[in-house]
Amino acid sequence: MPRISDWPSSRRPRERLLTEGVAALSDAELLAVCLRTGVAGKNAVVLAQDLLDQFNGLHGLTRASQRAACAALGLGPAKWALLQAASELVRRSLKAEISRGDVLNSPAAVRDYLMLWLRDKPSESFIALFLDNQNRLLAADELFRGTLSQTAVYPREIVRRGIELNAGAVIFAHNHPSGLAEPSHADRLLTDALKSALSHLEIRVLDHLIVAGNQTMSFAEHGLI
């Protein structure tokens, strides 16, 4: 099998990235740029496609455990670490984007940030984005883990954190590991309880997002806030 270095420059992934931009590359080509090298009998692009097939795409590959990933042909600890670093850079970049100004001006970035944070957690986690009166991000906290219910998420703890930060508003989010992005009865009761508790402090509840895999559901968009 020919090496990528033997290909015409117009076909090489790294050169195409530089001349045409990242959007021009396929998932396998982008992954090949990160892998840099292939293995015996497989160049980096072929190896990348094999890995994508084995792990059911980029999402499965980047979320695979170190043990599972490093058991795959051509993907050792160094390359696994590089993929983890790339994923974390994306999350931190999104957090930086929503930290620059009014969070409500970047709804897509907020959704993407929360999705990257929550979608792969094996159990339910409850997140709060605390904002100031200009809707600028003050803190992004994972407050509770485990099964979400009114007994597991304590409004008084959220009230205490809101007072500590002198917050003016908050956006809540939690994940559904079941994969169904629909609010349960408990989700609705909890949201109402939090909204009531925070209203006494004039802390606005702007939204409550449910993350299920690559899907999100907004309470605000469905008129539930």
Side-chain angles (χ1 to χ4, degrees), residues 1-5 7 11 32 35-50:
M1 178 174 294
R3 297 174 301 177
I4 292 177
S5 59
W7 292 2
R11 288 186 54 207
L35 296 176
R36 298 183 62 187
T37 60
V39 296
K42 296 181 180 180
N43 61 42
V45 173
V46 174
L47 173 61
Q49 188 59 61
D50 285 351

Side-chain angles (χ1 to χ4, degrees), residues 106-116 209 216-218 221:
S106 305
V110 172
R111 283 177 181 262
D112 289 344
Y113 173 64
L114 292 170
M115 187 184 300
L116 284 174
L209 296 169
T216 60
M217 177 271 174
S218 162
E221 289 179 0

